[in-house]
Amino acid sequence: IFFLKMKILLLVMLLCYSFAFSSGDTTIHTNNWAVLVCTSRFWFNYRHMANTLSLYRTVKRLGIPDERIILMLADDMACNARNEYPAQVFNNENHKLNLYGDNVEVDYRGYEVTVENFLRVLTGRHENAVPRSKRLLSDEGSHILLYMTGHGGDEFLKFQDAEELQSHDLADAVKQMKEKRRFKELMIMVDTCQAATLFNQLQSPGVLAIGSSLKGENSYSHHLDSDVSALYYFMNGMYITIGVSVVDRFTYYTLAFFERLDIYDNASLNRSYDPRQLMSTAYYRTDLYQPHLAEVPVTNFFGSVMETIHTDSAYEAFSSRISNSKINADMPLDQHPEHDLKENLQNANNPNDDLKNEKQKCPYTQMRADLQEKLEKLENVDTMVNLSIAVMVLVVIVSSSLL
Amino acid sequence: MKNEDDGEMAEEQKKKPCRFWIWALSSVFFRLILISFPGNLNLSSRPEVSTPLTSIRRLAEGYWLKQASMSPYAGSMYHGSPLLLSLLGPLTVQRIKGQPSHLLCSLVFVVADVLTAMLLRGIGQKLQMAYGLNARLLGFLKSSRDKGILPCGDIAALVYLWNPFTIVSCVGLSTSPIENLAVVVALYGAVKRRVPLAAFGLVMATHLSLYPATLTIPIIFLLGYGLDAPPIKLFLQTKSVENQDRSTSDVSKTEAKLKQTTRVPFLWKTVLHFVFWVLLWSLCVLVLCGLSLIKHGGLEEMFKSTYGFILSIEDLSPNIGVFWYFFAEVFDFFRNFFLIVFHVNILFMLLPLAIRLKHRPCFLAFIYLTISSILKSYPSVGDSALYLSLWALFVNELVDMKFSFFLFCGYLGISLLSPVMHNLWIWRGTGNANFYFGNAIGYACFQIVFVVESVSAMLNHDRALKRCNSKNSREVKN
């Protein structure tokens, strides 16, 4: 009984050890991903589209390529019948920036932007037929930026005017992502009414969350652009155009900050939003995020600044020596829990040994089998072959000079 | 007078080696200069230079696959020997800062070229001595000095070093220099009667590219019968003339002697020795190849990817040969039939040539090499480099070759037009495959005329010797 207890204790210790190992920060930041979601449809929600597209532009400008951005737009504003400037989306009434330029890649469009698809993107649990461009192919070294904008409320976010994403759905998805090691650090930025409530259920470490407003507050749009809309309203005998709001305040001030940056800047995440300008209180949830915000550069999430190491030699991928050493490293961790199983199996192995002994009686086959085993175990066959070639050439020279 | 002549001859002979070494070293410098140009002047991407069997990029790919614990023949990129992979593979990966890539490989090929040239010189010197000896025996040369006999060894070595085809294959990093070295090692061993060396050269040459297996016949003749010589009847005629000069009464004795010595003794012992060494070396090579491929399918895989690839002509990318165009359009039903026809085409010619030219085994080797260069699956200019320099070994006998200027112009024109046609077809799109193929057909035609003319020139030389000999004997009789 004592030995059994010891084995159980050992098992438990090893499991804890492996857990601790996995949650430790031994992985390095290797890539950046961005998931940008606009959840509202209809023309009067133009600003949500503009928000998302502005952030898309910023993130691309600071270095994240299209293949690592998942852009989800619930409706098409650029080619909407009411758009006075077809194929153009602006986030400012001065129309300086066309956000819907030449290279916008929308991964989920229109009715594909659903809560189910959003959660599938986050957790990576897709149908087989879903193409790679629609998957979040992050790994344990990824920093992911998740930006969501639309209409929200107390612990929910409205999708497409038909369904909602609740805060515990989001927390579950993030927990799954953490379990499956799909991110190293995750930054969630939400620009909706009562945005901070969406983070109430989050528990996973390594998550930084920024919301544009607290519970009970609304997030407001920044300004109206009366020029964009082609909607005419006949009122009091006159046709007047009703403009649409082109951008939300939170995103507007965020973008004002980013437009001044390029990928070489070291600006940190520690930026404060003026509640009077926003007309709401921007909320940071930093308890799950270990590093200090002042030390984290914005390009960790909003851009992609990778360190390049210049080498002169050719690319040597997974040489056999490395794969062998990996196999050896994995063995010790696996052996101990199976120790009990091995004891049980030993009784079963005995009849097999008898058969082997019978076959080994013929010496020739035994020799051949031994030789093959030895040869297969040889790791430095190449050096042996090289040496043999050198020996052969020497023998040629010697024999040709002698004979 | 004689002393002065001797002095002059000695000085000339001293000058000639100096001149030879000057030319040889300058060709090495020329290659080194060309190698220092960035990107090998894009020669390694020319289809005339690098074929699927000789391309260095495929070798580098095979080496990378081997390092990644996969079979080097995976993906049908590399089709050469695993031993070459062990030799040249690490060199393709080593990069010296600031130097052009593949510098070490180029140096290996330059060294191979120089060794080949030295060995050719050795063969040529032996052949020249034999030619002089035979000429004196037959009574054509009165003086003991070899005046008028061209130094075919030096000429052959210089032709090899300065042939634009050789330079292009060396700088363009194809593995033809190493294959050529193996062939010349085999011939050198056979000429110098170093049996293990000849066997090693033959085994390596066959292992690297299948076609030098045809050289077994000339090498056996070289070891059995000896070097190139005019047909034995001529010697017997002179002997009979001399005997008749001495005594007229011993007619019966000379007749008996004639009957006894119509055949040259065939040295079976040497040949058996050679066969033993061939078997030994092939066993070594097979064991080594098996060892290096033990985890990747073994020898079967190697034979399928190397010899199988050569014989089944799987790769139809354009080259300077004629098979790619044909096999691109042949129906699958007839493919095996035509493969057999084309390969037997080479085999058909072996026996008749062997019968006709058995008294000249070196020349026979040259003819076999030329025929296999014309009719092999993936020819390149590296093969032409070898047979053109072997041709230079026989300048003394082939002086009266017809159409030599026409052939020279033909070769020059084809080599200049080939890149042009390739460019027109592939890059500009104003031509099509027929342009390039027409060029290849022209090249094959010129090569065939070259072979036919050299054989007929050699046979004419023998006939001329016979006529001269019979004239002499008639004069003596009269």
Side-chain angles (χ1 to χ4, degrees), chain A residues 310 312-321 323 372 375-379 381-382 384-386 388-389 392-393 395-397 399-401 403, chain B residues 64 66-70 82-84 86-87 90 93 95-98 193-197 200 204 273 277 281 284-285 288 291-292 294-295:
Chain A
H310 177 81
D312 240 349
S313 59
Y315 178 52
E316 283 179 48
F318 41 107
S319 113
S320 53
R321 272 175 259 130
S323 54
Q372 264 211 308
L375 286 172
E376 275 170 15
K377 277 182 194 166
L378 276 176
E379 284 183 6
V381 185
D382 287 330
M384 221 173 81
V385 169
N386 289 343
S388 320
I389 294 175
M392 209 165 70
V393 171
V395 169
V396 168
I397 295 173
S399 59
S400 55
S401 50
L403 291 166
Chain B
W64 190 91
K66 188 110 185 278
Q67 295 299 100
S69 313
M70 286 189 266
L83 302 180
L84 205 60
S86 319
L87 176 68
V93 173
R95 259 167 234 278
I96 307 173
K97 220 178 177 181
R193 308 198 73 79
R194 304 237 163 106
V195 171
L197 194 65
F200 179 71
M204 287 312 290
H273 202 201
W277 277 104
W281 289 127
C284 283
V285 164
L288 282 179
L291 263 183
S292 54
I294 198 161
K295 288 183 192 160

Side-chain angles (χ1 to χ4, degrees), chain B residues 6-44:
Chain B
D6 281 341
E8 274 180 30
M9 276 298 293
E11 272 182 36
E12 268 186 50
Q13 279 179 355
K14 274 188 198 163
K15 275 188 201 165
K16 275 185 190 163
C18 286
R19 250 189 279 159
F20 168 72
W21 287 112
I22 291 171
W23 279 106
L25 283 171
S26 53
S27 86
V28 172
F29 278 133
F30 185 56
R31 275 159 221 263
L32 290 174
I33 291 171
L34 282 181
I35 287 169
S36 68
F37 277 110
N40 306 109
L41 298 166
N42 281 329
L43 279 171
S44 48

Side-chain angles (χ1 to χ4, degrees), chain B residues 111-257:
Chain B
V111 165
D113 271 349
V114 168
L115 277 175
T116 318
M118 294 302 118
L119 293 175
L120 274 173
R121 186 161 184 250
I123 297 176
Q125 280 169 346
K126 253 295 175 102
L127 281 175
Q128 185 188 346
M129 266 186 354
Y131 183 77
L133 192 71
N134 290 328
R136 261 177 275 130
L137 274 178
L138 288 174
F140 295 123
L141 273 181
K142 306 296 174 183
S143 60
S144 55
R145 284 180 246 122
D146 293 326
K147 252 192 197 172
I149 299 184
L150 295 165
C152 51
D154 291 353
I155 294 179
L158 285 178
V159 163
Y160 187 77
L161 282 175
W162 279 101
N163 193 346
F165 290 160
T166 343
I167 296 180
V168 150
S169 3
C170 176
V171 173
L173 295 172
S174 87
T175 55
S176 322
I178 297 187
E179 292 173 10
N180 294 349
L181 176 64
V183 167
V184 171
V185 160
L187 285 176
Y188 180 77
V191 159
K192 290 271 191 182
R193 308 198 73 79
R194 304 237 163 106
V195 171
L197 194 65
F200 179 71
L202 182 67
V203 165
M204 287 312 290
T206 315
H207 177 66
L208 289 173
S209 72
L210 179 59
Y211 294 93
T214 53
L215 288 178
T216 338
I217 302 173
I219 290 183
I220 289 181
F221 282 159
L222 267 172
L223 292 171
Y225 285 131
L227 285 174
D228 284 23
I232 202 65
K233 288 185 220 164
L234 301 181
F235 289 106
L236 294 170
Q237 278 181 348
T238 3
K239 209 177 180 185
S240 67
V241 162
E242 283 174 16
N243 286 341
Q244 279 181 357
D245 274 344
R246 284 183 206 146
S247 60
T248 45
S249 56
D250 299 313
V251 176
S252 51
K253 274 192 191 171
T254 50
E255 278 184 20
K257 274 188 190 167

